[in-house]
Amino acid sequence: MLTGVEAAAIVLAAAPLIALLAAAQHTSTG
Amino acid sequence: MAAVLTWPVGRAAPAHSKPPFAPVAAYVGGCAAGGMAVGTALGLAAAGASTVPGADVVLTAVIVAGALVTAALQWTGRMGPLPERRAQVPRHWLLWRRRSLTAACFGLMIGCGVLTHVKHPSAYVLAALILLVPTPLAGAVVGAAYGLGRGSTLGLTWLADRYVGRRPRWLERGFDPRILNRFLAAAAVLSVAGALSLV
């Protein structure tokens, strides 16, 4: 079972991708 | 389409009124819920698949290979063979009387990711990352973070309109697509490497 720390680490690993996708998807559909 | 997404707080509002917060909150909440729903579903599917004896090694190899090919597609800026629902949020929902309800439903659709345009292949890398760490919790957390990220652009627009008086340039004009593709591809590879270190 995933611990809270591991879940946080996964989000941290994905954070740059998530942030870039959020910005890119917003502006590319504008 | 940005005009539709920023409609609850955008230029359509009377000049003398301050942009209301409730539709923005409903939109951001809807985005997070949509992302969490899809992420949880992916996590559940991956958790089910990983119970098959010997399947996890094969699945990991296939997922990593797929993610790297997708990152390469992102580098070139092409969606290639990846599926995409070529649709926007339904425009007629703007006619609903309750703006917060419209915003929440828009958010749910946008947050799900797969129900509207997918302009960038690396969105699939995010799905691969959930599959690599096959638990519903990981899917829910990553999915909700994705949804919040998507929703945050409207939140930023609201904050800029409410307190600054002008919007950040990147929100209005966007980024150079060539540079963006490089950064997205690099972030995709890094995120997969990070998830692999946790498996």
Side-chain angles (χ1 to χ4, degrees):
Chain A
M1 189 63 194
L2 203 70
T3 66
V5 175
E6 286 170 327
I10 294 164
V11 174
L12 210 61
L17 181 58
I18 289 170
L20 279 170
L21 274 173
Q25 191 81 24
H26 173 77
T27 52
S28 66
T29 54
Chain B
M1 200 61 196
V4 173
L5 298 182
T6 56
W7 163 79
V9 296
R11 290 170 179 158
H16 62 272
S17 69
K18 291 178 176 175
F21 179 65
V24 178
Y27 176 81
V28 175
C31 279
M36 186 183 279
V38 171
T40 306
L42 280 172
L44 281 170
S50 67
T51 58
V52 178
D56 47 351
V57 176
V58 177
L59 276 176
T60 300
V62 169
I63 292 166
V64 170
L68 291 177
V69 169
T70 306
L73 279 174
Q74 179 69 69
W75 185 271
T76 62
R78 289 181 296 127
M79 276 300 287
L82 295 169
E84 175 195 10
R85 182 169 186 245
R86 295 179 183 276
Q88 304 278 22
V89 284
R91 205 172 275 266
H92 66 269
W93 288 0
L94 289 169
L95 301 174
W96 294 352
R97 184 176 288 183
R98 295 178 60 189
R99 297 205 307 178
S100 290
L101 185 62
T102 302
C105 291
F106 275 10
L108 267 175
M109 275 195 82
I110 300 278
C112 283
V114 292
L115 298 179
T116 49
H117 281 286
V118 181
K119 291 288 182 185
H120 301 281
S122 49
Y124 283 95
V125 177
L126 206 57
L129 186 141
I130 293 173
L131 298 177
L132 276 177
V133 192
T135 71
L137 176 61
V141 170
V142 172
Y146 170 78
L148 279 176
R150 292 290 299 271
S152 68
T153 50
L154 190 72
L156 280 175
T157 303
W158 181 83
L159 283 171
D161 286 352
R162 182 80 167 74
Y163 295 107
V164 183
R166 63 182 174 83
R167 298 173 182 179
R169 178 180 282 191
W170 66 267
L171 269 174
E172 298 280 65
R173 296 186 183 179
F175 301 104
D176 182 334
R178 287 168 302 178
I179 296 171
L180 192 62
N181 286 333
R182 284 0 174 217
F183 271 97
L184 273 169
V189 172
L190 278 176
S191 68
V192 170
L196 271 178
S197 71
L198 292 162
V199 176

